[in-house]
Amino acid sequence: MAKSTDWMPPSRTGILAMAHEQIAYMTGDRRTAWGIPTDKFTEYGTAYAAAGAALQKVLDKAERTHVQTVECQAAFEALRKIMRFFRDRYFKIPPLSDADWAALGFRTKDPHPTPVPAPAGVPAVSLSYPGGPHMLDAHLGPMAGTEALDSESDYGYALYRGIMPQGGATLEQAASVKHYLQAPPVDGEGLQHYRFTRRRKERVTFDGAEAGMTAYVCARYENRKGQVGNWGPVTSSIIP
């Protein structure tokens, strides 16, 4: 079974997705058959959780600090290290089958690989109140009337948000780390990246002092390589 040496996903979201698939696939019976000690499996799970938590902190550019960026880099390096260890130590030897290898996220080398196309779809966002203060639920999906989506190119959603105080931000507010909006945005260019998600509903949270301000939310599709497509329409709601 010929296996590609270029197997680590290029994006952090892709690395997390592969790690999640591998952890879920390594049931107790498989771990026993493959000779995986419980402490090493726990170490893998801990590294995965730490990397996911660290990434979530840096995805909100308004709150990101240099320390959080460094911590995220270190967390993903630790996750990559244990993923390579598992592949080399436990996954390359029998009794793994071709089906096991594929389930773990690895692929055989394709002499004629098909490139991942750029996102072609356009997503729409609608907002609702989940019942709690200082939060909104963003409902994501293709715009009405658009063609069926390509699961490879329109892999997930890059979600963006912006916040505008009543009457528009002052120069001081606009220059702050929150980058409050001075006027309603016409598209997503004026918004800040909030997070990547593959879910159809994503909770967007705000500070208590932002209650009564207007939240603007927009999304665009992102493929498996991290390339983004065209902006969807901007939607807005008052922050409860």
Side-chain angles (χ1 to χ4, degrees), residues 88-179:
D88 294 339
R89 176 64 179 82
Y90 303 118
F91 297 160
K92 285 186 174 181
I93 58 176
L96 270 70
S97 64
D98 286 351
D100 291 327
W101 189 259
L104 291 167
F106 304 120
R107 299 292 181 267
T108 57
K109 187 68 173 180
D110 185 354
H112 304 291
T114 301
V116 177
V122 178
V125 183
S126 63
L127 298 173
S128 67
Y129 296 106
H134 320 139
M135 61 182 69
L136 295 167
D137 279 344
H139 304 268
L140 300 144
M143 286 189 64
T146 59
E147 297 180 358
L149 303 179
D150 186 311
S151 61
E152 292 294 315
S153 62
D154 300 327
Y155 180 67
Y157 303 94
L159 189 63
Y160 298 78
R161 75 170 186 180
I163 304 168
M164 190 179 76
Q166 294 183 11
T170 63
L171 289 176
E172 183 179 3
Q173 288 175 317
S176 70
V177 293
K178 288 286 190 175
H179 298 292

Side-chain angles (χ1 to χ4, degrees), residues 121-239:
V122 178
V125 183
S126 63
L127 298 173
S128 67
Y129 296 106
H134 320 139
M135 61 182 69
L136 295 167
D137 279 344
H139 304 268
L140 300 144
M143 286 189 64
T146 59
E147 297 180 358
L149 303 179
D150 186 311
S151 61
E152 292 294 315
S153 62
D154 300 327
Y155 180 67
Y157 303 94
L159 189 63
Y160 298 78
R161 75 170 186 180
I163 304 168
M164 190 179 76
Q166 294 183 11
T170 63
L171 289 176
E172 183 179 3
Q173 288 175 317
S176 70
V177 293
K178 288 286 190 175
H179 298 292
Y180 289 116
L181 300 171
Q182 294 181 287
V186 296
D187 57 30
E189 290 294 343
L191 306 182
Q192 293 183 294
H193 185 274
Y194 185 65
R195 66 182 51 165
F196 170 85
T197 183
R198 297 197 69 203
R199 302 195 302 177
R200 298 294 294 269
K201 184 175 75 172
E202 191 69 42
R203 181 67 50 83
V204 184
T205 59
F206 305 87
D207 294 340
E210 293 167 343
M213 296 184 184
T214 303
Y216 294 90
V217 181
C218 184
R220 50 186 177 177
Y221 282 111
E222 183 174 321
N223 68 12
R224 286 181 176 270
K225 291 186 176 182
Q227 297 172 306
V228 291
N230 294 324
W231 292 109
V234 178
T235 188
S236 65
S237 180
I238 301 299
I239 300 171

Side-chain angles (χ1 to χ4, degrees), residues 13-89:
T13 53
I15 291 171
L16 287 175
M18 173 179 269
H20 180 270
E21 289 177 359
Q22 293 183 354
I23 291 169
Y25 192 71
M26 287 186 282
T27 62
D29 290 343
R30 290 193 180 101
R31 294 201 304 273
T32 300
W34 299 350
I36 301 173
T38 300
D39 61 334
K40 295 304 295 185
F41 179 73
T42 301
E43 182 182 344
Y44 191 169
T46 300
Y48 164 72
L55 180 61
Q56 198 60 58
K57 290 180 180 179
V58 302
L59 283 180
D60 188 347
K61 294 181 180 179
E63 300 292 341
R64 182 173 60 194
T65 66
H66 176 66
V67 172
Q68 290 172 336
T69 299
V70 173
E71 289 176 343
C72 186
Q73 292 171 344
F76 271 87
E77 184 53 39
L79 179 58
R80 291 187 191 96
K81 182 178 180 180
I82 197 166
M83 289 175 72
R84 293 188 184 99
F85 175 82
F86 265 69
R87 184 179 187 274
D88 294 339
R89 176 64 179 82

